[in-house]
Amino acid sequence: MNSSFSISLLFSIIIILFSGCTTPEKTATLKPGMWRATINVQGSDLPFNFEVRHEKGLEIYLQNGEERIQLDEVRIEKDSFYIPMHIFDADLKGTIKNNRLQGRWTKNYAEDYSLDFTATYGQSHRFEPTELKPQDFNGKWRVTFIHADDQDTTEAVGIFGQTGTAITGTFLTPTGDYRYLEGTAYGKELKLSTFDGGHAFLFSARLNAQNELVGDFWSGKRWHETWSAVRDEAAALPDPDSLTYIKEGHDGLTFSFPDLEGKMVSLDDYKGKVVILDIFGTWCPNCMDETKFLKKWYDDNRHRGVEVLGLAYEAKDDYEYAKSRVEHMKNKWDIQYNMLIAGTLDKKEAAKTLPMLNHVLAFPTTIFIDKNGEVKRIHTGFTGPGTGHYYEQFIKEFNETVDELVAQN
């Protein structure tokens, strides 16, 4: 064997040995514990918090005040993460490096809707802490939101609870509430935020010389409103049972929509039963709250001859897409009542599918129908669990209505 051949053979063996000993690229992990995240919303950082757990596989819990939203479909490959936003057609994607996440929050159904996202391990504060003594913002406020472009106004009620610099609360509007808000009060200013996976809301305001709150509301990538508020313990909204009604010339509701198997379903299929009709969409945060309520309520009350029927109005005018989103929600929460694909989230288009209504003002809208098929009550919007006693009052009135309808012969 000549020397050149021996040297070549030796180099080949060394290369093979080193190749065989190469350490495979490790998959990154998310450390258990608290993380602080921000989404860049129209030039401002919207903060939120989440907790990572490993007890039952990898789970993430979004936190807004008392709320905990479970994200249990998290995937990690090498240094990349993919986090679907539970029932919403949205996700967080990016990379993991040195206990830090960096990527994008994307609404997949919306055109050009993606925002920068970062998160840091081991931080539990929301907004940056401050030692500046805050004013007292506790209580009820009469609020006016004004859209920046068309000057359209919305009257609302703000309810805030405050301990030191920590502040929580929500806004009630005629079409629903802003769910769980959490933030900080410092001096004459306050800041509040929420992130539920499908919606990112950021509020800021400052007390002026007249003790009015004046501030801004940013929602996601594009929506912006200014808002003002004055203390008013008597602040109230219009009766939610007066806003949507059957138009003159119509005796009741008639429709025929496909279910998730494509079978056409109408109210006639529920003759002799009390029906709770839920106009909803899987993209809608208040609908998420009401669906959770209706799921448990139906499980406990279906034996009474009461049916819940969901009419889904989804983000795309595509049956297969809508079906996939509704099926995802239905399977994830084990919803036992029937859901139909009724139309799209555009309120004017939704109203065309139910022309006997004066309008579709809000998602959700709840319609109570007696055993004879007669509409007895229409409740616009939903006051969810983030509203405290308003939610408890809704449940009380809901049960009273159903009890009355069930008792009728």
Side-chain angles (χ1 to χ4, degrees):
M1 183 182 294
N2 59 45
S3 59
S4 62
F5 178 79
S6 299
I7 293 171
S8 297
L9 179 62
L10 178 61
F11 273 117
S12 297
I13 292 172
I14 291 172
I15 290 170
I16 291 170
L17 288 173
F18 272 94
S19 298
C21 295
T22 300
T23 302
E25 187 174 351
K26 293 183 177 179
T27 296
T29 59
L30 293 179
K31 280 191 174 182
M34 292 302 301
W35 293 67
R36 178 180 185 265
T38 61
I39 293 174
N40 188 274
V41 174
Q42 302 174 47
S44 298
D45 282 339
L46 182 156
F48 67 95
N49 307 98
F50 62 86
E51 182 184 8
V52 174
R53 299 182 189 174
H54 290 281
E55 291 89 346
K56 299 178 181 179
L58 178 54
E59 295 177 318
I60 292 174
Y61 288 82
L62 300 177
Q63 299 190 0
N64 301 292
E66 298 178 356
E67 179 180 51
R68 301 293 182 269
I69 298 178
Q70 182 187 42
L71 308 177
D72 57 1
E73 301 173 83
V74 184
R75 297 205 304 267
I76 297 177
E77 295 181 5
K78 297 182 180 178
D79 66 344
S80 298
F81 65 87
Y82 170 63
I83 309 173
M85 296 291 101
H86 54 107
I87 66 164
F88 298 125
D89 187 10
D91 56 56
L92 294 168
K93 293 178 185 175
T95 56
I96 309 169
K97 185 177 182 181
N98 299 328
N99 296 324
R100 183 175 170 83
L101 308 182
Q102 187 164 356
R104 306 279 289 178
W105 170 55
T106 302
K107 286 189 178 184
N108 297 307
Y109 63 84
E111 184 177 354
D112 187 29
Y113 204 115
S114 186
L115 298 172
D116 289 334
F117 158 83
T118 62
T120 304
Y121 174 72
Q123 296 184 358
S124 59
H125 66 279
R126 201 170 187 96
F127 292 91
E128 293 298 333
T130 174
E131 295 182 359
L132 191 61
K133 185 177 179 179
Q135 296 281 324
D136 180 13
F137 297 101
N138 271 300
K140 189 186 292 187
W141 298 72
R142 179 162 43 85
V143 182
T144 301
F145 288 99
I146 304 177
H147 189 258
D149 293 334
D150 57 20
Q151 299 300 299
D152 185 35
T153 62
T154 300
E155 300 302 319
V157 176
I159 47 176
F160 305 134
Q162 182 180 345
T163 303
T165 59
I167 187 167
T168 57
T170 194
F171 295 95
L172 292 82
T173 79
T175 59
D177 64 271
Y178 281 97
R179 309 190 71 256
Y180 293 88
L181 304 178
E182 180 181 354
T184 299
Y186 54 100
K188 294 185 175 183
E189 299 185 49
L190 64 80
K191 291 184 178 180
L192 294 159
S193 67
T194 191
F195 178 67
D196 63 17
H199 308 82
F201 298 158
L202 176 64
F203 299 85
S204 70
R206 181 181 180 86
L207 281 172
N208 63 17
Q210 291 74 41
N211 281 325
E212 298 174 318
L213 277 172
V214 178
D216 292 273
F217 163 45
W218 297 272
S219 173
K221 187 171 183 176
R222 302 179 181 92
W223 191 263
H224 172 248
E225 293 178 331
T226 57
W227 63 284
S228 60
V230 295
R231 286 187 184 276
D232 185 354
E233 290 302 316
L237 297 174
D239 179 3
D241 290 354
S242 68
L243 302 176
T244 307
Y245 51 85
I246 301 291
K247 293 189 295 190
E248 288 188 18
H250 293 273
D251 294 330
L253 284 175
T254 56
F255 59 77
S256 181
F257 299 124
D259 66 13
L260 301 184
E261 282 71 48
K263 177 186 174 184
M264 301 304 290
V265 176
S266 72
L267 269 181
D268 289 341
D269 298 315
Y270 294 86
K271 282 183 177 178
K273 290 190 174 185
V274 173
V275 177
I276 301 164
L277 203 63
D278 179 34
I279 297 175
F280 80 104
T282 62
W283 49 271
C284 160
N286 295 130
C287 301
M288 173 178 68
D289 289 335
E290 184 173 47
T291 301
K292 286 182 177 179
F293 164 75
L294 288 174
K295 178 264 186 299
K296 185 178 185 310
W297 188 93
Y298 183 68
D299 288 348
D300 294 338
N301 290 274
R302 60 187 303 181
H303 65 280
R304 301 171 62 195
V306 181
E307 289 295 331
V308 175
L309 183 61
L311 303 186
Y313 291 82
E314 293 301 308
K316 296 181 182 180
D317 187 15
D318 181 314
Y319 172 80
E320 291 301 327
Y321 171 83
K323 172 186 171 182
S324 70
R325 298 315 309 170
V326 175
E327 279 183 335
H328 182 72
M329 171 190 267
K330 204 170 190 296
N331 294 334
K332 193 170 189 63
W333 290 343
D334 189 28
I335 297 168
Q336 296 299 308
Y337 59 82
N338 204 3
M339 292 178 160
L340 313 180
I341 306 303
T344 66
L345 57 77
D346 182 279
K347 291 178 183 178
K348 291 183 179 179
E349 293 301 313
K352 293 177 183 178
T353 69
L354 297 169
M356 59 292 301
L357 297 179
N358 62 321
H359 53 207
V360 173
L361 180 62
F363 297 99
T365 293
T366 310
I367 304 175
F368 298 82
I369 302 169
D370 70 12
K371 298 173 187 178
N372 299 316
E374 184 178 348
V375 173
K376 307 302 290 187
R377 178 185 173 201
I378 303 179
H379 184 92
T380 301
F382 184 70
T383 48
T387 67
H389 79 269
Y390 292 93
Y391 178 58
E392 295 171 4
Q393 182 65 25
F394 168 84
I395 294 175
K396 179 176 180 292
E397 293 175 357
F398 182 99
N399 283 315
E400 287 174 350
T401 298
V402 175
D403 290 346
E404 182 180 338
L405 297 180
V406 168
Q408 290 178 351
N409 293 325

